[in-house]
Amino acid sequence: MFCYLRPLRRFCLEKILPHWFHYSRALSGAEAVNALRPFYFAVHPDFFGQHPREREVNENSLKRLSVYLENLQKPGFKSLKPTQLTFYVRETDPSPSDGQEPFSSSGFRAVKFTLHTRDLLSTVLYILNSCSLSVEHVESRDTNMHSQPLRGARRAPDRPIKWDKSYYAFTGFRDPAADLDHVTRVEVTLASWLDNNGKNAIKKLKDSLPLRKELERLKDELSHLLQLSDIRWQRGWGVAHRCSQLHSLGRLAQQNLETLQRAKGCTVVFTDRSGMSALGHVMLGTMDVHHHWTKLFERLPSYFDLQRRLMLLEDQISGLLGGIQVVYVEELQPELTMEEYYSLLDAFHGRLLQSRSPFHPQSLRGLQMALGSDRYAPSLHELGHFTVPMLCDLANLQWFIRTRAQQARENMRRKEELKVIENELIRASTKKFSLEKLSKEPSISSVQMVDCCKRLLEQSLPYLQGMRLCVSHFYSVMQDGDLCIPWNWKSGEAVK
């Protein structure tokens, strides 16, 4: 059946991307990134600061897209597993054309598509068309590369292209027509932003307090009833949304308590899909019905068995690599299920057994490595762990780890020192500004957090009293009154 689907799929792409199948040269990685600039500006997470759910979806999808594009560029690849992606796309025209999904009052719409292309050019065009973005800039590039177009190819007009204003909105390029309007742009400072948004944040926080108390009560009750280690959320849903999710779990517990108590000692995480995470957390997909959650809890014993086999596999890999500890860094690695992570470990273990690269027993004890699948060359992370691609050259890996072992130990020592300093500065900042809570997003490093807190302690910021502050990459007042500020916020007066 598959042999009939492939011509059909090609025919569908030809209908969408007409003459590209008649002539085109292969895109390089850099050209593909440049061609996708309108797409990246339309979905970039930084533009969704006040919509944490949509921002999280775009962040995860961009990570998976990056892996897909990198795999396309690897030499000798045969085929890729179809990858389904969801993006929230920013809009500038409030009247969507026929066939497009209408967007929300917030100015974006959800776009879902499945990548099953086999080269960069068709992938770029498919993404742009799926998001209803212009492909003319790609067409212009490809036409310019052919001084003698092939028979049947259409030549781009030899005149400057007058872009629609949406192109400049998405790409960030300067609109020549808009340059006639000299608008003075003012750089936002922390003090000015708090002056403009502090009262609104205080009101939202005050309004959310009753629900916050309800959330803590529900969380404590369910944790005690099911004997859970913790209850967490993968993304920044609002307090009302979180309460609703806990109520759903509570109703399920009333109906089938014995089954749900199989999660004793586990951490439950509300996320996008149900299953067991690589770290052994019970993932409850928020879009799944109770039936799916019940089936997951029923399968927990088999997951626990897989977890034991996974830990044994990590120990076996460690033994073959001189005692280095295999770790999964949740903040830095792609979100994987336990099945996906076990498959990755198993494939790497098989390669190690075949190569038998000699490492002196326990010579790398105290070091850490995280296994990945999106690169070919190993690297040393600033936090001290080695990032080891599953398909890396094992002889090169041996040399790389040995030559950088000392630097890895220094990075790990520095990480621990920074963590102590970071925690001290968080406590000091919380106390000085009488904050309800001071936290940071996972993407914020300890170096960035330390720099942010040191500069905060030098300021006088009365609006922060009693607030919940999160250090991030952008300014935002969240729906429940939490304040987000960029770690590299600007001080002083506004600059014109």
Side-chain angles (χ1 to χ4, degrees):
M1 180 177 179
F2 181 73
C3 61
Y4 291 101
L5 290 177
R6 294 177 71 176
L8 177 61
R9 189 168 62 198
R10 178 181 176 87
F11 172 78
C12 293
L13 285 175
E14 288 178 351
K15 295 284 286 183
I16 299 173
L17 317 172
H19 62 283
W20 292 96
F21 283 85
H22 299 293
Y23 77 103
S24 64
R25 74 173 183 88
L27 284 183
S28 68
E31 287 171 334
V33 171
N34 189 54
L36 284 172
R37 280 175 63 88
F39 164 74
Y40 288 132
F41 276 91
V43 303
H44 198 285
D46 286 354
F47 294 117
F48 293 81
Q50 296 186 14
H51 304 281
R53 179 181 181 276
E54 288 75 15
R55 181 167 63 90
E56 185 77 18
V57 170
N58 282 12
E59 284 178 349
N60 290 335
S61 293
L62 282 172
K63 290 178 183 178
R64 297 175 64 197
L65 173 61
S66 177
V67 172
Y68 189 93
L69 294 177
E70 286 188 18
N71 287 336
L72 278 179
Q73 301 171 65
K74 291 178 180 178
F77 88 95
K78 295 182 179 179
S79 63
L80 294 178
K81 181 180 179 182
T83 301
Q84 184 174 1
L85 299 175
T86 299
F87 286 101
Y88 287 94
V89 181
R90 295 191 298 135
E91 296 288 354
T92 57
D93 183 4
S95 301
S97 60
D98 292 341
Q100 295 185 26
E101 180 181 339
F103 54 89
S104 69
S105 59
S106 302
F108 51 79
R109 60 185 171 85
V111 174
K112 296 182 180 181
F113 55 88
T114 300
L115 292 178
H116 39 59
T117 45
R118 295 179 58 82
D119 62 87
L120 281 175
L121 179 57
S122 59
T123 301
V124 167
L125 293 169
Y126 185 69
I127 292 171
L128 293 174
N129 275 278
S130 297
C131 296
S132 302
L133 299 175
S134 172
V135 298
E136 291 183 14
H137 60 293
V138 189
E139 178 179 357
S140 176
R141 178 211 67 82
D142 200 77
T143 302
N144 292 335
M145 288 299 176
H146 290 269
S147 57
Q148 298 292 332
L150 299 179
R151 182 180 304 174
R154 293 185 298 175
R155 182 175 179 81
D158 296 322
R159 60 181 175 80
I161 296 175
K162 182 175 178 59
W163 296 99
D164 185 86
K165 289 187 179 295
S166 62
Y167 171 78
Y168 301 105
F170 286 132
T171 64
F173 294 149
R174 178 175 294 178
D175 184 354
D179 284 345
L180 297 175
D181 302 325
H182 299 285
V183 180
T184 304
R185 302 189 64 145
V186 179
E187 184 178 16
V188 177
T189 66
L190 178 60
S192 65
W193 186 81
L194 288 174
D195 285 342
N196 293 329
N197 296 276
K199 291 182 180 179
N200 181 37
I202 291 173
K203 181 181 184 304
K204 287 185 174 182
L205 180 62
K206 183 178 180 180
D207 292 343
S208 72
L209 290 179
L211 268 180
R212 289 184 186 274
K213 293 180 180 179
E214 174 70 1
L215 179 66
E216 289 302 315
R217 183 188 68 80
L218 290 170
K219 184 177 176 181
D220 290 342
E221 286 184 359
L222 276 173
S223 296
H224 177 72
L225 178 65
L226 304 180
Q227 301 181 62
L228 300 175
S229 175
D230 193 12
I231 299 177
R232 291 164 36 186
W233 285 263
Q234 184 192 42
R235 62 162 72 123
W237 279 299
V239 176
H241 197 163
R242 296 187 181 201
C243 284
S244 176
Q245 292 162 354
L246 291 182
H247 278 300
S248 294
L249 184 59
R251 288 192 295 271
L252 187 60
Q254 292 177 354
Q255 299 167 6
N256 207 339
L257 179 60
E258 185 177 349
T259 299
L260 267 64
Q261 284 181 333
R262 295 182 181 184
K264 177 181 178 180
C266 293
T267 293
V268 167
V269 183
F270 290 96
T271 180
D272 293 321
R273 54 176 175 169
S274 297
M276 181 77 83
S277 75
L279 289 175
H281 300 330
V282 179
M283 302 189 303
L284 300 181
T286 56
M287 301 300 292
D288 292 336
V289 297
H290 284 183
H291 172 73
H292 294 133
W293 287 6
T294 302
K295 289 294 184 182
L296 170 61
F297 283 103
E298 290 175 350
R299 293 198 305 267
L300 284 183
S302 62
Y303 274 117
F304 295 148
D305 179 63
L306 179 61
Q307 186 175 28
R308 286 189 289 269
R309 289 189 284 131
L310 186 149
M311 295 171 65
L312 177 60
L313 201 52
E314 288 179 333
D315 290 340
Q316 291 172 340
I317 293 173
S318 175
L320 293 171
L321 292 179
I324 192 170
Q325 181 186 7
V326 182
V327 297
Y328 182 86
V329 187
E330 188 176 17
E331 296 82 3
L332 302 176
Q333 292 184 251
E335 178 192 351
L336 297 177
T337 63
M338 184 169 290
E339 296 97 328
E340 293 168 341
Y341 189 47
Y342 181 88
S343 178
L344 192 66
L345 289 172
D346 189 47
F348 184 68
H349 180 247
R351 296 188 69 230
L352 285 177
L353 289 176
Q354 292 177 1
S355 69
R356 285 294 183 182
S357 298
F359 277 88
H360 190 277
Q362 303 302 311
S363 61
L364 301 180
R365 188 175 182 181
L367 298 180
Q368 296 179 339
M369 62 160 277
L371 188 62
S373 60
D374 57 345
R375 300 177 60 178
Y376 268 116
S379 61
L380 175 60
H381 196 274
E382 62 179 5
L383 297 180
H385 65 269
F386 289 95
T387 300
V388 178
M390 192 269 287
L391 294 176
C392 70
D393 180 82
L394 296 177
N396 179 52
L397 174 63
Q398 181 182 2
W399 171 85
F400 184 85
I401 292 180
R402 283 177 171 171
T403 57
R404 287 167 173 77
Q406 184 57 37
Q407 182 62 50
R409 297 184 192 279
E410 292 176 4
N411 286 4
M412 293 181 69
R413 182 166 57 251
R414 175 60 178 161
K415 177 186 70 173
E416 296 303 321
E417 294 173 352
L418 270 175
K419 196 64 183 176
V420 172
I421 297 172
E422 178 185 1
N423 290 336
E424 291 177 350
L425 288 172
I426 288 176
R427 285 194 293 269
S429 300
T430 303
K431 181 178 180 181
K432 175 177 179 177
F433 300 109
S434 301
L435 293 169
E436 176 70 20
K437 182 180 180 181
L438 175 56
S439 60
K440 68 173 185 177
E441 289 195 342
S443 59
I444 299 298
S445 68
S446 292
V447 173
Q448 293 169 333
M449 190 65 173
V450 165
D451 175 70
C452 177
C453 290
K454 281 183 176 179
R455 293 187 296 116
L456 275 178
L457 289 169
E458 297 173 355
Q459 304 294 311
S460 176
L461 302 166
Y463 269 124
L464 291 183
Q465 183 173 355
M467 300 304 297
R468 300 172 64 91
L469 184 65
C470 178
V471 177
S472 178
H473 295 280
F474 55 87
Y475 285 107
S476 179
V477 177
M478 308 305 284
Q479 58 183 320
D480 296 305
D482 297 73
L483 288 172
C484 288
I485 64 171
W487 70 270
N488 56 346
W489 51 269
K490 306 295 183 183
S491 60
E493 298 180 357
V495 179
K496 291 187 178 180

